[in-house]
Amino acid sequence: MTQSIRRSPSLWAMLWRLANAQLLRYLAASLLALALDLSLFSLGLRVFSWPWWLSATISFAGGAVLAYLCSITWVFGERRLERRGAVEFTSFVAIGVAGLALTQAALFVGIEVLHHVPEHVRLMASIVTFLFNYLLRSILLFKRKHVA
């Protein structure tokens, strides 16, 4: 079966390859945004002595802007709202804010209730938020790149 897919890819095989490539690009962009987010989060906590919720909110904003820029320039092929940039960015951030709410809930439970290290909890919450954000953004804001 693998040989037949390699010789003449079916529609499903092409869609699978495309989805994997897009997901990998989104993962790379998200890792960059996460690196910025975690750096700002830790900086706010450890250097500026901000409360965790303030550090998480400010770091989220920095990560969201970087994730948006990567998404529109590299990850997704076509933008459903390209001509309405303000609406697109607002929608992108709104989905991220919903993800932030998930993150804040996880941080509260992990830090305040379970007394885990804040950075560890933030990293674990990021996995759930990544999947949530990817699914909503890819469905609502972007179209898949066409396979040539």
Side-chain angles (χ1 to χ4, degrees):
M1 181 172 186
T2 306
Q3 293 292 350
S4 64
I5 290 176
R6 286 187 186 150
R7 276 185 256 145
S8 61
S10 69
L11 176 61
W12 291 112
M14 290 186 326
L15 290 174
W16 176 254
R17 192 176 16 185
L18 175 65
N20 284 334
Q22 180 176 305
L23 185 61
L24 287 175
R25 286 190 306 273
Y26 189 79
L27 176 62
S30 294
L31 288 174
L32 288 172
L34 176 61
L36 177 62
D37 187 327
L38 286 174
S39 297
L40 293 174
F41 179 69
S42 192
L43 184 71
L45 284 176
R46 308 297 177 199
V47 176
F48 297 115
S49 300
W50 293 339
W52 63 263
W53 55 268
L54 178 61
S55 294
T57 303
I58 291 171
S59 66
F60 164 79
V65 169
L66 182 58
Y68 176 73
L69 293 173
C70 288
S71 291
I72 64 172
T73 59
W74 184 55
V75 174
F76 297 102
E78 297 178 41
R79 299 158 54 191
R80 295 182 193 273
L81 301 172
E82 185 171 9
R83 293 179 186 220
R84 297 176 16 198
V87 172
E88 178 186 64
F89 181 72
T90 301
S91 300
F92 188 93
V93 171
I95 291 168
V97 168
L100 176 61
L102 290 173
T103 298
Q104 293 282 19
L107 287 171
F108 175 78
V109 171
I111 296 168
E112 300 294 336
V113 177
L114 300 175
H115 306 290
H116 289 298
V117 176
E119 289 87 352
H120 295 171
V121 177
R122 179 66 179 93
L123 188 58
M124 292 295 111
S126 297
I127 295 168
V128 173
T129 303
F130 166 80
L131 294 172
F132 175 83
N133 288 347
Y134 173 75
L135 288 173
L136 283 181
R137 287 171 176 161
S138 65
I139 291 168
L140 299 176
L141 299 177
F142 302 103
K143 298 177 186 177
R144 297 204 180 274
K145 288 189 176 191
H146 298 290
V147 177

